[in-house]
């Protein structure tokens, strides 16, 4: 029986533990009040946490065959073939990202009420910014296997989506494949 260990950690029957940010889990539980919501971890063998009515109802494990009911309820928007080829960001890289973002927040922004907040989904790192309590999307970076070669996409509020083809925005000259460059670009594109 899968179980919730902490407010943001879950353990599968196979023994695998999936860890997330508490805010992410809180948002997923809130979204699951009327429909099932799926939260995938970024482990090499990806586990998917299933929430419904604000609670954990199942963990889809790649090591265990899915029941007919679970297969039937798997979201149609993510085909199985695509899922198998998508790899997440390694934990060591996430640790480095946290240190870089924290350093940037304290040295470049220097305002504890305006900070970048990283979040992850598969191979993507989303850089949101909390400005005086309000969390806003800024950009999405795709991990390419190198810390100095992130693929960049700015968030466009006009379309409410991330656009990797958009390069006409203030601060675009800072985008150089690094996290620091992305955060500098985000500060100019969406000033704090």
């Amino acid at each position: 029986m899968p179980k919730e260990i902490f407010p943001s950690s879950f353990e599968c029957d196979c023994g695998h533990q999936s860890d997330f940010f508490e805010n992410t889990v809180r948002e997923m539980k809130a979204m699951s009040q009327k429909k099932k919501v799926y939260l995938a971890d970024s482990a090499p063998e990806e586990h998917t946490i299933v929430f419904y009515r604000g609670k954990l109802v199942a963990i889809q494990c790649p090591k265990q065959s899915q029941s007919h009911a679970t297969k039937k309820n798997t979201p149609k928007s993510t085909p199985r073939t695509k899922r198998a080829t998508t790899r997440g960001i390694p934990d060591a890289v996430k640790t480095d990202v946290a240190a870089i973002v924290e350093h940037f927040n304290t040295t470049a922004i220097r305002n504890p009420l305006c900070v970048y907040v990283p979040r992850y989904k598969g191979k993507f790192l989303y850089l949101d910014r909390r400005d005086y309590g309000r969390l806003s999307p800024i950009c999405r970076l795709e991990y390419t296997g190198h810390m100095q070669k992130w693929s960049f996409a700015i968030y466009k509020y006009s379309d409410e989506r991330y656009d990797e083809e958009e390069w006409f925005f203030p601060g675009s000259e800072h985008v150089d494949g690094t996290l620091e460059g992305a955060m500098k670009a985000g500060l100019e594109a969406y000033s704090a």
Side-chain angles (χ1 to χ4, degrees):
M1 179 78 179
K3 60 184 174 184
E4 186 169 353
I5 303 171
F6 301 109
S8 60
S9 297
F10 304 89
E11 185 174 47
C12 181
D13 292 337
C14 73
H16 174 80
Q17 183 173 326
S18 298
D19 301 304
F20 303 95
F21 288 107
E22 285 186 41
N23 287 343
T24 303
V25 172
R26 193 176 309 118
E27 289 173 8
M28 297 301 282
K29 286 181 176 180
M31 289 180 358
S32 72
Q33 292 300 325
K34 295 184 180 179
K35 65 178 184 171
K36 284 188 178 179
V37 177
Y38 301 83
L39 177 62
D41 67 15
S42 60
E45 293 182 348
E46 188 175 74
H47 284 68
T48 303
I49 315 304
V50 184
F51 297 100
Y52 185 58
R53 298 188 188 239
K55 295 183 180 179
L56 163 73
V57 293
I59 295 180
Q60 295 176 351
C61 177
K63 296 177 184 175
Q64 301 169 354
S65 62
Q66 292 181 329
S67 68
H68 178 69
T70 308
K71 283 183 183 176
K72 189 173 79 175
N73 292 330
T74 301
K76 304 286 187 251
S77 61
T78 50
R80 298 304 298 171
T81 54
K82 183 178 181 211
R83 235 180 159 174
T85 60
T86 303
R87 287 188 285 185
I89 299 172
D91 289 338
V93 172
K94 290 180 183 180
T95 302
D96 291 343
V97 166
I100 291 168
V101 170
E102 181 64 29
H103 183 262
F104 188 87
N105 286 338
T106 56
T107 59
I109 299 178
R110 293 183 292 216
N111 180 349
L113 298 176
C114 296
V115 294
Y116 275 104
V117 179
R119 63 182 165 92
Y120 304 92
K121 184 172 182 183
K123 62 183 176 179
F124 295 108
L125 160 62
Y126 294 85
L127 288 174
D128 300 333
R129 203 170 61 229
R130 180 171 287 121
D131 294 327
Y132 299 94
R134 183 176 180 191
L135 193 64
S136 305
I138 302 295
C139 62
R140 180 189 71 199
L141 303 176
E142 182 178 351
Y143 184 62
T144 62
H146 304 284
M147 281 298 286
Q148 304 300 314
K149 295 182 181 176
W150 293 84
S151 176
F152 180 88
I154 190 78
Y155 185 80
K156 289 176 62 177
Y157 283 88
S158 59
D159 299 338
E160 294 186 349
R161 68 181 183 91
Y162 295 93
D163 189 350
E164 54 194 31
E165 302 295 321
E166 179 63 56
W167 287 100
F168 296 107
F169 60 89
S172 63
E173 70 275 6
H174 296 295
V175 178
D176 60 0
T178 66
L179 293 175
E180 294 88 347
M183 290 186 284
K184 285 179 187 175
L187 277 178
E188 281 193 40
Y190 301 112
S191 57

